[in-house]
Amino acid sequence: MMGQREILSRIKERLTADIDRYLAGDKAAYLYKCRHTERYGDTDENRIARLRLVYGLQFGVRELPENEREQMVRKLFEQEVKACENESFQGFGAGMEMLADMMQKYRTSADEELFTRAKNANFDCWCGLMTDGGYNYPASTDEYDIVDSIYLAAELEMTEEVCALVDIFKENGLEGEDFEKLRRFAEYTHRTEDREQAVRGCYERAFESEITDENGKMRALTAAEEMIGLLAEKGEVSAAEELFKKHTDVLTSANRRAFYTCALCIMQADESTRKRIWKYVKKNIRHSVRVGEFYSVCYGDIKNCAEIAGDGRYVRLMEMLIKKKG
């Protein structure tokens, strides 16, 4: 099994190859290229490839003549600005931040228009982008611990390296907040075993002692919702139903949506429980209305539950409320 430093070396080899490719004249793969997606609208097809170049420059994986590095930094900064200007999803990321820092070394009066464009590229840039430097990203992977390394590999969409690093993270055992970290890492590894280990660990941690503060309440809410969803997905419907009823008070905290989301998850997973769960849900709806805690954010999930249960009256009622909400 490779160690963390070996995996980071492999990542840097990939970054070096990208630098060499760019310098050899094959630049198109790293320049802004608009791609329209149904989910995110207009986005940059080459964002990740360009980010590899930026990290390559940041880590100094290839020694470059200063004039060549300056040209490369300025060109990439221009492309990052262009991407932020045209991104439907708004925002900016590590690439923009590192390039804004790198440009400080080469900044002249002729660059002020470009920096103004960067600051005004979108609302998030206007609110949060520091165009005078100060991000101070590490210049070497020697400063990266295992968690930093996982986030780096994930940001660069190097899934094989992410999985290898997560295995290292897990090998000495997990406790406390480690399970919350693993829950996030599971989104990058796409491995079922990582998600299950994280969800079970978070659940045990959330309910191991008395819940006394708001952070504890929110941790319990998330943990219960995810545990019930996991059990339903695995076909352990009886266990999911048991937890659903056990943690009703937790799931109906905040805006109550978690309660209906869990109900929907169980009803979708098992036909035999649908009438029983729906009867329990309707009882909760009546209570919510009575105490004035029937929130519009729940209407869609309730409607879906009613459809699965075959309760046309509630389907029509939710459709009317959804329409009224606007």
Side-chain angles (χ1 to χ4, degrees):
M1 180 175 173
M2 287 193 297
Q4 177 189 343
R5 296 302 158 195
E6 292 174 288
I7 297 168
L8 287 171
S9 292
R10 194 163 76 178
I11 290 173
K12 288 194 288 186
E13 287 173 5
R14 175 73 182 278
L15 304 182
T16 304
D18 282 298
I19 294 277
D20 291 342
R21 181 182 174 187
Y22 181 90
L23 293 174
D26 188 3
K27 300 180 179 181
Y30 305 98
L31 306 182
Y32 170 75
K33 182 179 180 182
C34 180
R35 178 167 65 92
H36 186 79
T37 65
E38 193 168 320
R39 183 175 183 182
Y40 295 114
D42 289 340
T43 188
D44 181 9
E45 185 173 312
N46 294 331
R47 181 182 66 85
I48 297 299
R50 187 167 58 257
L51 185 60
R52 292 197 302 269
L53 283 184
V54 177
Y55 269 112
L57 289 169
Q58 181 68 18
F59 296 145
V61 297
R62 176 70 76 212
E63 190 172 340
L64 301 175
E66 196 59 38
N67 67 323
E68 203 165 334
R69 186 179 187 278
E70 178 180 351
Q71 290 174 10
M72 191 171 178
V73 168
R74 185 170 277 105
K75 181 67 174 179
L76 295 178
F77 187 50
E78 291 171 354
Q79 295 301 303
E80 201 67 24
V81 171
K82 189 174 182 179
C84 286
E85 288 174 332
N86 292 282
E87 179 79 28
S88 296
F89 201 58
Q90 301 282 297
F92 63 94
M96 176 69 99
E97 292 176 347
M98 283 186 283
L99 287 165
D101 270 0
M102 291 178 197
M103 276 294 294
Q104 302 309 314
K105 184 177 181 179
Y106 310 117
R107 189 170 182 172
T108 69
S109 58
D111 296 312
E112 293 313 303
E113 182 180 350
L114 182 59
F115 274 94
T116 299
R117 280 179 58 199
K119 186 65 176 173
N120 294 302
N122 60 49
F123 182 74
D124 288 343
C125 289
W126 183 80
C127 290
L129 178 64
M130 296 189 296
T131 56
D132 56 353
Y135 285 105
N136 298 319
Y137 278 75
S140 170
T141 56
D142 292 342
E143 300 180 46
Y144 279 59
D145 62 16
I146 186 62
V147 172
D148 295 330
S149 300
I150 291 169
Y151 282 128
L152 173 66
E155 190 173 26
L156 296 172
E157 297 186 357
M158 297 183 180
T159 304
E160 185 177 341
E161 286 75 13
V162 172
C163 290
L165 289 163
V166 170
D167 287 339
I168 295 171
F169 174 76
K170 295 193 299 180
E171 68 180 1
N172 293 324
L174 305 177
E175 59 183 16
E177 294 181 1
D178 290 341
F179 290 105
E180 268 129 27
K181 292 174 183 174
L182 181 60
R183 183 172 61 191
R184 180 69 181 274
F185 298 159
E187 298 174 12
Y188 307 141
T189 67
H190 309 293
R191 295 188 302 201
T192 302
E193 62 268 27
D194 292 335
R195 175 174 173 251
E196 182 166 349
Q197 184 178 1
V199 168
R200 291 185 183 279
C202 287
Y203 178 79
E204 290 173 8
R205 178 173 181 246
F207 293 98
E208 66 186 357
S209 58
E210 185 180 357
I211 301 169
T212 59
D213 58 19
E214 287 303 315
N215 286 337
K217 289 177 182 178
M218 290 308 299
R219 186 163 58 240
L221 174 62
T222 301
E225 183 178 8
E226 292 190 349
M227 189 64 179
I228 292 165
L230 175 67
L231 292 171
E233 289 172 25
K234 288 170 63 66
E236 299 176 26
V237 179
S238 294
E241 182 181 359
E242 181 182 345
L243 288 188
F244 175 62
K245 292 180 177 178
K246 177 181 178 181
H247 294 308
T248 294
D249 287 347
V250 172
L251 295 170
T252 53
S253 61
N255 60 18
R256 295 179 175 257
R257 185 172 184 179
F259 175 82
Y260 300 111
T261 300
C262 287
L264 179 61
C265 191
I266 298 170
M267 292 175 72
Q268 287 173 324
D270 184 65
E271 185 175 351
S272 65
T273 65
R274 289 175 183 173
K275 288 185 178 179
R276 189 164 62 247
I277 294 293
W278 179 236
K279 182 178 179 180
Y280 190 73
V281 166
K282 286 201 294 184
K283 180 181 177 182
N284 191 272
I285 292 171
R286 287 192 289 270
H287 173 76
S288 297
V289 172
R290 189 164 56 248
V291 298
E293 294 179 353
F294 190 51
Y295 303 115
S296 60
V297 71
C298 302
Y299 295 168
D301 286 330
I302 294 173
K303 174 177 175 288
N304 291 334
C305 287
E307 285 179 335
I308 292 173
D311 191 329
R313 176 173 168 270
Y314 263 86
V315 171
R316 291 189 295 274
L317 175 61
M318 289 303 110
E319 287 177 340
M320 180 186 72
L321 291 174
I322 290 169
K323 185 177 181 180
K324 185 178 179 180
K325 184 183 70 171

